[in-house]
Amino acid sequence: MGDWVFVCATSQLLPGESAVAWDGDTPILVVNYDGDYYALEDNCSHEDFELSAGNYDGEAATVECVLHGAKFDVRDGRPLCAPAYSPVTKFPVKVESDGVWTRDDRG
């Protein structure tokens, strides 16, 4: 299991905003949805493309891949429409010392 990776200060990731952190070779998209933080692999499960390049809807808790329009629920990574049928990997998030942290826990 990887070490915790600092994403940013909580004051830098307000509700409706997103940031990308790197855990080794893994890009991780971290979002603030209504004061709760969620982390997903920054990679569409339909095709190898960054989800962070797409639109994060902070009201609907979704992120949309700009390549083909697949949408995912940021809370659990599940696909919400075609062409994606597989979920995006979800990672743990912790808030500690006014910072947001995540890690690739796939071991």
Side-chain angles (χ1 to χ4, degrees), residues 27-107:
I28 301 175
L29 174 65
V30 181
V31 301
N32 181 334
Y33 171 62
D34 201 24
D36 292 320
Y37 301 94
Y38 299 94
L40 301 173
E41 185 170 8
D42 189 18
N43 195 23
C44 181
S45 65
H46 166 251
E47 193 161 320
D48 188 18
F49 199 78
E50 307 90 15
L51 289 175
S52 59
N55 181 45
Y56 165 52
D57 186 333
E59 292 183 17
T62 61
V63 63
E64 180 178 358
C65 180
V66 296
L67 200 56
H68 295 114
K71 284 188 180 180
F72 300 89
D73 188 311
V74 298
R75 295 167 290 191
D76 57 15
R78 67 188 160 95
L80 300 173
C81 66
Y85 297 101
S86 299
V88 174
T89 302
K90 181 180 179 206
F91 297 117
V93 177
K94 71 176 180 177
V95 176
E96 186 174 277
S97 302
D98 295 324
V100 180
W101 301 77
T102 190
R103 71 175 179 205
D104 183 345
D105 65 346
R106 292 179 287 187

